[in-house]
Amino acid sequence: MIGAGQAGLSAAGQLLRKRLRPNEDFVILDANDGPGGAWRHRWDALTFDAAHGIHDLPGMPLDPPDPAEPASRVVARYYGSYERELGLPIVRPVRVESVEHHTAPTENDGKAGHFTVTGADGRTWRARTVINATGTWDSPYIPYYPGIAEFNGRQLHTRGYSSAADFAGQRVLVVGGGTSALQFLLQLDQAGARTVWTTRRAPDWADRFFDSSWGVDVEASVSARTTMGLPPLSVVAATGLPVTEQYLAGLTSGVLISRGPLRRITPTGAVLDGPGPDGGAVPSQGHVADALLAPGGAAAGGLDRVPALTGRACTAVSTEDPLTTWETEVDTILWATGFRASMDHLSPLHVRERGGGVMMLPDGVSVVKRPGLFLVGYGASASTIGATRAGRRAAVQAAAASHPPQSGHL
Ligand code: FAD
């Protein structure tokens, strides 16, 4: 197994349940210095109650922590207890650099061949199956825009964000339409920064919350793509943004109003397609009107609570409308533009399609082009609930492929 985040730990728990023996039958290689997966690195202001829900690992519910404690600490502690309690064979820090497959049958491997897994320190492991659970945190994505290299101010990605206080008094352009962008905008505003939000498309607000049915819906909509080998959609692209009370307040104040798509970057700011900072917003299409108007719904009180969405905004105007172009000066560009699957170490296996996706079987964990390789936390399972379920499925299959269990499983 490679990776000890939610997906890897869930798979490991299931391998134990299937009576695979720690160290003898499987090990987990993890690049981090300690437990927590990607959560270990998230900023302190992302408190437990601000996270969108952390699903329990199998068989060990998370004791409700202080909601104001940073999620990074809560999750690192929780994963650490899980690792200790189950006696998981985690080898860290080991960054896997390559995974190769050898088809030449050997006495122990039967017809399926074996994988050779090589760490950055040169150590190698040999395995009949590989469960890859390496997440996305190590692969931040910043899209290209003309002028990006000429910007004189500071640019940083979600991965480099630590505290809103760092931006007090600054003008900040926040790029991206996901929940990280929403949280940054609210925090920066509170910390005294002046923000401008830019999104490629009008934000798609949805009248729902991040509960377990949300995780299941993400799985359904994203797995339709991965079975075709297409790159996975982001979670928000699959389900829309939830209209929570907190976000509604941001909509009302105008902080969470997208000011249009980014056209290009200048040395001192950016050019956006849109009506300008005050002239209304790129309107929300999606379900926002329904969400806000629903009697007794998440945002009961009606559209009049959201001045920027009144009038033109509610007529579902799209970004194809002839919008004006305007320029804004900013000190910092914060790229909340997401992540890609961290899979460079799998390159020798040639499992990627031309568009960058990996074609998966409908089970969501088996790779069509390389039997014996399982991806968990990939695409449809990139949420804590999805990762937990996928980890279990992959482990059941890996365990089934382990007869006789003479060579190990990673
Ligand atoms: P990770 O937690 O990223 O674990 C991967 C592990 O693999 C890491 O320990 C890493 O060090 C290791 N690794 C990576 N590459 C290698 C390598 N080459 N060799 C060895 N080890 C390697 N989901 C939710 O359900 N609720 C939320 O509230 C939520 N909030 C989020 C907030 C942000 C800002 C982001 C970016 C994502 C959020 N998610 C949330 C999605 C979240 O990433 C997943 O839910 C889940 O934690 C991912 O688990 P994972 O095991 O797939 O990956």
Side-chain angles (χ1 to χ4, degrees):
M1 180 121 53
I2 310 173
Q6 184 93 11
L9 295 183
S10 164
Q14 188 66 30
L15 288 178
L16 289 180
R17 227 161 284 125
K18 291 284 169 190
R19 307 207 175 283
L20 267 73
R21 296 160 301 177
N23 291 314
E24 283 165 80
D25 295 332
F26 75 100
V27 294
I28 307 162
L29 310 178
D30 187 48
N32 269 331
D33 290 333
W39 288 96
R40 192 176 170 79
H41 304 288
R42 289 187 182 139
W43 51 98
D44 279 359
L46 182 58
T47 51
F48 184 73
D49 63 341
H52 290 301
I54 293 155
H55 197 71
D56 288 343
L57 287 165
M60 191 192 285
L62 170 62
D63 285 334
D66 172 359
E69 190 176 355
S72 55
R73 272 182 243 156
V74 173
V75 177
R77 196 166 59 233
Y78 177 47
Y79 288 4
S81 318
Y82 193 81
E83 292 175 5
R84 275 192 308 280
E85 195 108 332
L86 271 64
L88 295 179
I90 300 186
V91 188
R92 60 162 64 100
V94 174
R95 178 161 296 279
V96 171
E97 277 203 339
S98 71
V99 179
E100 289 162 281
H101 186 260
H102 308 278
T103 44
T106 65
E107 211 174 289
N108 280 344
D109 294 326
K111 286 187 187 133
H114 69 272
F115 294 93
T116 302
V117 177
T118 306
D121 58 4
R123 279 187 284 174
T124 61
W125 288 261
R126 178 187 163 112
R128 187 178 296 136
T129 59
V130 170
I131 299 178
N132 189 78
T134 46
T136 59
W137 186 253
D138 293 331
S139 307
Y141 171 69
I142 296 183
Y144 171 78
Y145 282 95
I148 190 168
E150 277 73 57
F151 181 62
N152 290 329
R154 178 178 179 214
Q155 299 191 53
L156 78 163
H157 182 271
T158 299
R159 202 177 191 278
Y161 178 90
S162 68
S163 161
D166 298 344
F167 304 87
Q170 292 186 20
R171 299 160 301 177
V172 185
L173 181 73
V174 178
V175 191
T179 52
S180 298
L182 300 185
Q183 296 192 0
F184 293 151
L185 285 157
L186 293 174
Q187 288 166 22
L188 293 172
D189 182 57
Q190 239 182 2
R194 272 172 295 152
T195 58
V196 174
W197 188 24
T198 173
T199 56
R200 252 182 318 164
R201 284 178 289 279
D204 182 15
W205 295 96
D207 187 14
R208 64 178 308 179
F209 294 98
F210 285 96
D211 52 15
S212 47
S213 72
W214 160 77
V216 172
D217 284 358
V218 173
E219 275 192 78
S221 46
V222 183
S223 67
R225 286 177 63 86
T226 51
T227 49
M228 293 191 284
L230 296 170
L233 277 180
S234 75
V235 165
V236 163
T239 62
L241 295 162
V243 186
T244 63
E245 275 299 326
Q246 191 197 22
Y247 295 158
L248 182 64
L251 279 162
T252 310
S253 70
V255 171
L256 295 189
I257 298 295
S258 169
R259 304 296 170 185
L262 179 57
R263 175 176 284 205
R264 65 186 163 82
I265 294 166
T266 68
T268 54
V271 176
L272 276 68
D273 287 323
D278 307 313
V282 169
S284 293
Q285 301 164 290
H287 316 288
V288 71
D290 296 343
L292 293 168
L293 288 170
L303 278 171
D304 50 346
R305 288 175 63 187
V306 187
L309 287 179
T310 55
R312 179 173 181 246
C314 297
T315 55
V317 181
S318 77
T319 51
E320 281 87 51
D321 261 22
L323 296 169
T324 50
T325 291
W326 65 290
E327 189 164 349
T328 181
E329 303 251 302
V330 294
D331 304 299
T332 299
I333 301 176
L334 176 50
W335 297 97
T337 39
F339 296 82
R340 297 290 182 260
S342 300
M343 295 197 311
D344 286 355
H345 54 288
L346 301 182
S347 308
L349 300 176
H350 304 293
V351 290
R352 282 192 190 262
E353 304 299 319
R354 286 180 72 181
V358 177
M359 194 176 290
M360 307 292 289
L361 289 178
D363 67 7
V365 294
S366 306
V367 176
V368 171
K369 285 187 175 164
R370 176 45 59 212
L373 172 67
F374 301 94
L375 302 186
V376 293
Y378 171 73
S381 58
S383 68
T384 51
I385 182 168
T388 308
R389 289 152 53 101
R392 228 184 270 140
R393 284 199 300 277
V396 168
Q397 296 201 44
S402 73
H403 301 296
Q406 287 145 330
S407 64
H409 297 263
L410 283 170

